[in-house]
């Protein structure tokens, strides 16, 4: 989505949408574990030492990995769980770098092409994974590039296998190549374990989640108005494979 289109949507949201999460009548429950998990602030639901994952996600992933191994594919996770603190580091590094040349809002629009606003990333949940095929010859440079997953790219065999099999294990592609989809760009490497991630997506839409998010601190946050955030959630967090929104 182009920056102008997004900003137009923001102004539409500002003009017309009643912002539910501004309601003063809501009871703020910051102790709610599920909300803390959705924000990347609690990792007590995660297992595995090396790359942390939500426990059912880990089980399903292990089964999927075994099945793929029989086809000569070595599925490996390059990014699983990411804490709020980690996402904040990524965000602030990009924000500092980009604001040396651009205005803050322009910098933010650049960052959110690929990186989530801290506290809103699906990687906070422990249900989402970025994967590669370690049996393939690793390309030099950045592993997570679209071209590596298509045509004769090193991870094209993995992608074809996932297209056919991932659903059987509960994994769905999140940021599909659907031109009608809004938000983040196409990511052929990012899968989500739907049976668990759908719960966190639901939590994200709740008023008390947004209340809790508003208490978090990171650089550049002051530019994210309520209107911006409302539009961001609609465009980005719901700009996903529709299968993941069927509860
Ligand atoms: Zn990812």
């Amino acid at each position: 989505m182009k920056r102008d289109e997004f900003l137009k949507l923001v102004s539409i949201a500002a003009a017309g949408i009643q912002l539910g999460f501004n309601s003063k009548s809501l009871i703020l429950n910051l102790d709610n574990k599920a909300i803390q998990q959705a924000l990347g602030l609690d990792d007590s639901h995660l297992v595995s030492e090396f790359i942390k994952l939500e426990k059912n996600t880990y089980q399903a992933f292990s089964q999927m990995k075994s099945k793929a191994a029989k086809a000569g594919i070595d599925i490996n996770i390059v990014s699983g769980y990411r804490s709020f603190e980690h996402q904040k580091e990524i965000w602030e590094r990009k924000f500092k770098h980009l604001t040396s040349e651009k205005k803050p809002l322009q910098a933010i629009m650049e960052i959110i092409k690929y990186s989530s606003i801290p506290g809103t990333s699906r990687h906070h949940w422990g249900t989402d994974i970025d994967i590669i095929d370690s049996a393939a010859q690793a390309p030099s440079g950045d592993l997570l590039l679209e071209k590596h997953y298509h045509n004769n790219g090193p991870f094209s065999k993995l992608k074809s296998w996932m297209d056919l099999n991932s659903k059987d294990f509960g994994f769905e592609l999140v940021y599909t190549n659907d031109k009608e989809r809004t938000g983040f760009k196409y990511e052929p490497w990012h899968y989500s374990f739907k049976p668990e991630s759908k719960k966190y997506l639901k939590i994200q839409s709740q008023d008390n989640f947004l209340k809790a998010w508003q208490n978090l601190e990171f650089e550049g946050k002051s530019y994210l108005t309520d209107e911006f955030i409302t539009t961001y959630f609609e465009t980005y967090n719901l700009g996903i494979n529709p299968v993941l929104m069927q509860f």
Side-chain angles (χ1 to χ4, degrees):
M1 162 166 299
K2 291 197 184 76
R3 179 176 172 265
D4 290 354
E5 290 169 34
F6 181 83
L7 293 177
K8 203 161 82 192
L9 277 172
V10 169
S11 60
I12 291 165
I17 295 173
Q18 189 102 58
L19 299 173
F21 58 88
N22 271 346
S23 165
K24 296 272 186 291
S25 62
L26 292 165
I27 299 158
L28 182 58
N29 184 4
L30 281 172
D31 295 330
N32 187 319
K33 225 176 188 158
I35 290 177
Q36 300 286 308
Q37 289 168 358
L39 289 165
L41 298 171
D42 180 296
D43 63 3
S44 61
H45 62 309
L46 307 177
V47 294
S48 172
E49 286 296 300
F50 184 53
I51 289 178
K52 288 181 182 172
L53 291 178
E54 184 279 327
K55 69 174 185 336
N56 295 326
T57 307
Y58 177 74
Q59 260 182 14
F61 174 76
S62 301
Q63 287 165 5
M64 183 167 75
K65 187 177 164 76
S66 301
K67 174 106 190 266
K70 290 178 185 139
I73 296 161
D74 184 10
I75 307 182
N76 267 305
I77 298 171
V78 292
S79 190
Y81 168 72
R82 207 180 294 147
S83 67
F84 170 79
E85 277 307 314
H86 187 184
Q87 191 69 22
K88 179 180 153 152
E89 276 168 34
I90 294 171
W91 174 274
E92 291 185 341
R93 183 168 27 84
K94 290 187 176 181
F95 188 75
K96 273 197 193 89
H97 174 71
L98 290 166
T99 47
S100 63
E101 290 172 357
K102 294 171 195 270
K103 287 181 178 162
L105 203 54
Q106 279 180 322
I108 287 168
M109 293 311 297
E110 186 70 24
I111 301 170
I112 62 178
K113 279 183 187 166
Y114 280 108
S115 297
S116 296
I117 294 171
T120 73
S121 172
R122 296 182 65 97
H123 279 287
H124 291 331
W125 308 344
T127 58
D128 283 44
I129 52 176
D130 295 338
I131 55 168
I132 58 164
D133 176 10
S134 294
Q137 173 87 46
S140 57
D142 197 348
L143 295 175
L144 303 182
L145 293 177
E146 184 184 332
K147 63 176 181 183
H148 297 329
Y149 292 78
H150 292 281
N151 302 319
N152 292 320
F155 307 142
S156 55
K157 191 175 162 191
L158 163 68
K159 178 64 173 49
S160 304
W161 189 89
M162 290 295 283
D163 287 344
L164 283 175
N165 297 284
S166 77
K167 278 179 180 54
D168 295 346
F169 298 91
F171 287 91
E172 300 281 353
L173 198 62
V174 180
Y175 308 112
T176 60
N177 206 8
D178 178 359
K179 297 284 174 248
E180 298 298 304
R181 194 178 57 75
T182 61
F184 295 109
K185 293 193 168 182
Y186 174 46
E187 294 190 2
W189 52 83
H190 185 131
Y191 285 82
S192 182
F193 183 59
K194 183 188 169 184
E196 292 295 330
S197 67
K198 65 182 183 183
K199 297 178 197 167
Y200 291 105
L201 187 64
K202 217 168 190 176
I203 289 167
Q204 258 195 353
S205 69
Q206 289 170 2
D207 297 334
N208 49 358
F209 170 85
L210 278 153
K211 280 279 187 186
W213 178 83
Q214 281 167 338
N215 286 294
L216 301 173
E217 301 284 344
F218 53 88
E219 240 184 288
K221 196 187 173 206
S222 60
Y223 298 97
L224 307 176
T225 60
D226 286 352
E227 293 76 25
F228 188 101
I229 286 300
T230 303
T231 309
Y232 175 79
F233 272 99
E234 285 170 3
T235 312
Y236 286 75
N237 289 61
L238 298 179
I240 56 174
N241 184 346
V243 168
L244 292 163
M245 294 189 280
Q246 291 162 4
F247 297 116

